[in-house]
Amino acid sequence: EAGVAQSPRYKIIEKRQSVAFWCNPISGHATLYWYQQILGQGPKLLIQFQNNGVVDDSQLPKDRFSAERLKGVDSTLKIQPAKLEDSAVYLCASSLARGTGELFFGEGSRLTVL
Amino acid sequence: GDSVTQMEGPVTLSEEAFLTINCTYTATGYPSLFWYVQYPGEGLQLLLKATKADDKGSNKGFEATYRKETTSFHLEKGSVQVSDSAVYFCALVNFGNEKLTFGTGTRLTIIP
């Protein structure tokens, strides 16, 4: 069974530029999550989708971050414009059911903002 | 709100040593508790879980017992191996919330 795929693995941009990350969840997983992991901290949930609807985006900085999940499968997370404090690893995860806590994570996309 | 506190790392042990990584939580109600592990160059993966008080989760020689009276879920292993070197995250999910809340992680290094 293929795991959660993410790209790119690494991205370096300058502040005020834009960046987009892509995620393909495990086939059949209806719930998709984007987490932000800043160095030395635990992952923080940015947004959760159920199929192509948003369940929780309470911690998403909506003035600069946006995310979509077209057709309830792939998802993209965009940052525009980026700030220095956005330097982090962006983790995508999926799960078969909501609320179980059993998530399958991708390897992450490491963003460095200069 | 819900939160998880882990012992600060990094932790360095010799092979075959006994391991304990402390984890305590704050949550309303009766959360489910988890340990996730991140091996070098890999994504986070679920190591073990417990869904109610006094449950013991176990996997790959690791164990953790859900202690409601002390709001703890400490991770233990009797004899660690070099291959156990990784970052370990304690986490919880609360019924009705659905959000998996993580601790800050503990980096474990095992020396041969």
Side-chain angles (χ1 to χ4, degrees):
Chain A
E1 172 181 271
V4 176
Q6 289 189 245
S7 68
R9 289 293 310 277
Y10 305 93
K11 188 75 175 179
I12 300 174
I13 61 173
E14 295 189 349
K15 60 183 178 182
R16 291 189 289 273
Q17 288 187 323
S18 63
V19 62
F21 302 111
W22 172 84
C23 172
N24 181 241
I26 292 173
S27 177
H29 282 195
T31 313
L32 185 146
Y33 314 77
W34 283 101
Y35 281 81
Q36 180 191 56
Q37 185 177 13
I38 294 173
L39 187 64
Q41 300 181 19
K44 181 185 82 171
L45 180 68
L46 292 176
I47 188 166
Q48 177 183 343
F49 292 94
Q50 180 69 17
N51 295 310
N52 59 350
V54 175
V55 173
D56 183 352
D57 63 357
S58 57
Q59 297 196 81
L60 187 74
K62 298 180 185 63
D63 57 333
R64 298 182 299 104
F65 286 64
S66 64
E68 61 181 6
R69 190 182 184 196
L70 300 176
K71 300 181 182 178
V73 183
D74 293 9
S75 177
T76 56
L77 175 71
K78 296 179 181 178
I79 308 174
Q80 181 179 16
K83 292 185 174 181
L84 296 177
E85 58 260 37
D86 298 332
S87 294
V89 177
Y90 292 87
L91 302 170
C92 180
S94 67
S95 65
L96 197 54
R98 292 168 59 179
T100 65
E102 297 186 31
L103 275 57
F104 293 81
F105 284 84
E107 293 179 338
S109 295
R110 182 179 297 277
L111 172 66
T112 301
V113 182
L114 302 176
Chain B
D2 299 340
S3 66
V4 176
T5 302
Q6 285 183 239
M7 68 183 288
E8 298 205 4
V11 175
T12 302
L13 295 172
S14 298
E15 206 166 20
E16 300 183 2
F18 183 86
L19 168 71
T20 300
I21 300 178
N22 290 337
C23 170
T24 57
Y25 68 89
T26 301
T28 56
Y30 302 94
S32 294
L33 303 174
F34 306 83
W35 278 99
Y36 276 79
V37 60
Q38 188 170 32
Y39 297 105
E42 300 183 15
L44 279 158
Q45 56 186 271
L46 179 63
L47 179 61
L48 54 83
K49 69 173 186 176
T51 58
K52 61 183 187 295
D54 300 325
D55 266 3
K56 177 184 285 187
S58 61
N59 187 23
K60 299 182 179 181
F62 290 88
E63 293 183 339
T65 301
Y66 189 162
R67 301 287 188 199
K68 191 172 187 302
E69 63 276 14
T70 55
T71 61
S72 65
F73 193 54
H74 304 322
L75 183 68
E76 295 182 337
K77 187 174 185 181
S79 177
V80 293
Q81 305 301 313
V82 172
S83 57
D84 294 326
S85 297
V87 182
Y88 292 82
F89 292 90
C90 187
L92 68 82
V93 66
N94 220 337
F95 180 77
N97 185 339
E98 301 186 4
K99 183 163 61 179
L100 189 61
T101 299
F102 287 90
T104 54
T106 301
R107 181 176 297 277
L108 173 68
T109 302
I110 307 301
I111 302 171

